[in-house]
Amino acid sequence: MTCRDGALRLGCLWLAQCIFAWGVMVAFTRPAQAKVDPEALIMEGIELRRAGRDADALPKFDQAYELGKTPRAAAQLGLCLQALARWADADPKLAEALTSTQDPWVKKNRETLKDALEQVKARVGRVEIVGKPPGAEVAVNGRVVGTLPLSKPVLVNEGPVDIEVSAPGYKRGIKNLTVSGASYQSVVIRLEEAANVPTAPPPALAMNAPSAKHENARLVVSADSAATTDESRPITKELWFWAGAVAVVGAVVLGVVLVSGSGPKDPKFDQVHTF
């Protein structure tokens, strides 16, 4: 084997080691993605509910529903929401489960689900919210439900309901009402434009306020300090520096070996002996 062949083998070995090290780094730094079984989550939620821990079971059912959106997951989520007196949230999930005609579990428990949905609807009211301006944000009991115009009435639990509508450049609109179960109400909220009249600061405050010159000076000092901090960091602490150094050293070693292998051969190898 010639020196050139040895150099090439050495270079290939060095390259293979670099690729192997990179693969190990990627394998150990890549987060593991464990596959979650929706059915297992449903079973965990059922066991928690049997133990009287409805609040702890809710995240299990919610995750199972988001993973699969199966009729059974929707039904179990709706039943758990009903147990937690969140009737307005349980209503659409139970109704969704009952739309299935093929799911075996729903077929078996259809009557139970129908009874649960009737009980929920008796505790839920519907509020239609209309108004101006278009695009204004609508919040019901502190939760954002959309922007004007809303596409459908909002489901709410029976009892007091707080409605707030807000938009940039407008005064907030607030309505408080009491909703009874299985009822329908309509609310109109038209926001008033806010007066944007700038007011000058009092003379005393203006005299004590720092000048724009001083403010700019402080900003410049802060920026210079940050720049100094970044520049003062030793280059040897940078990961890219050492990675580049390793690559350069490897390249130099490989180049030296290749050059040494390409020189003149020993004359003894060119001699031909005859016997």
Side-chain angles (χ1 to χ4, degrees), residues 216-245:
N216 293 335
R218 282 200 293 269
L219 290 174
V220 172
V221 170
S222 300
D224 291 341
S225 300
T228 303
T229 302
D230 293 337
E231 293 176 358
S232 61
R233 182 176 179 178
I235 192 173
T236 56
K237 291 186 177 181
E238 297 290 343
L239 179 60
W240 61 265
F241 172 81
W242 290 108

Side-chain angles (χ1 to χ4, degrees), residues 191-261:
L191 301 185
E192 298 180 4
E193 293 187 12
N196 297 320
V197 181
T199 57
L205 294 178
M207 292 177 61
N208 295 332
S211 63
K213 181 179 180 180
H214 292 166
E215 290 291 342
N216 293 335
R218 282 200 293 269
L219 290 174
V220 172
V221 170
S222 300
D224 291 341
S225 300
T228 303
T229 302
D230 293 337
E231 293 176 358
S232 61
R233 182 176 179 178
I235 192 173
T236 56
K237 291 186 177 181
E238 297 290 343
L239 179 60
W240 61 265
F241 172 81
W242 290 108
V246 172
V248 170
V249 171
V252 170
V253 172
L254 182 61
V256 170
V257 173
L258 289 174
V259 170
S260 63

Side-chain angles (χ1 to χ4, degrees), residues 60-212:
K60 303 291 184 181
F61 294 132
D62 190 49
Q63 186 180 1
Y65 177 77
E66 291 300 325
L67 288 173
K69 287 186 171 53
T70 62
R72 185 185 179 192
Q76 293 290 354
L77 179 57
L79 293 172
C80 189
L81 289 167
Q82 178 191 15
L84 293 171
R86 291 176 54 177
W87 304 297
D89 296 325
D91 187 330
K93 294 298 181 291
L94 293 172
E96 177 184 343
L98 286 169
T99 58
S100 173
T101 59
Q102 303 298 326
D103 187 86
W105 188 89
V106 173
K107 286 183 178 180
K108 180 180 177 180
N109 299 275
R110 183 171 294 276
E111 294 303 319
T112 301
L113 294 176
K114 285 183 178 180
D115 292 340
L117 183 58
E118 289 180 3
Q119 295 174 16
V120 164
K121 288 186 176 297
R123 312 295 293 272
V124 172
R126 286 169 168 75
V127 180
E128 182 183 16
I129 304 171
V130 296
K132 293 181 179 181
E137 185 178 78
V138 181
V140 177
N141 291 336
R143 184 176 66 176
V144 177
V145 297
T147 57
L148 294 177
L150 297 177
S151 60
K152 58 183 179 181
V154 180
L155 300 180
V156 296
N157 284 3
E158 62 179 0
V161 176
D162 301 322
I163 302 173
E164 181 176 337
V165 180
S166 58
Y170 291 83
K171 297 180 181 179
R172 287 189 304 167
I174 299 175
K175 289 279 187 179
N176 306 110
L177 60 151
T178 301
V179 176
S180 57
S183 67
Y184 179 92
Q185 295 190 38
S186 180
V187 175
V188 180
I189 302 179
R190 296 186 178 90
L191 301 185
E192 298 180 4
E193 293 187 12
N196 297 320
V197 181
T199 57
L205 294 178
M207 292 177 61
N208 295 332
S211 63

Side-chain angles (χ1 to χ4, degrees), residues 4-29:
R4 180 181 295 275
D5 294 336
L8 290 176
R9 292 189 62 179
L10 180 62
C12 292
L13 178 61
W14 179 77
L15 180 61
Q17 289 176 343
C18 291
I19 296 175
F20 175 76
W22 177 81
V24 171
M25 180 184 65
V26 171
F28 280 94
T29 56

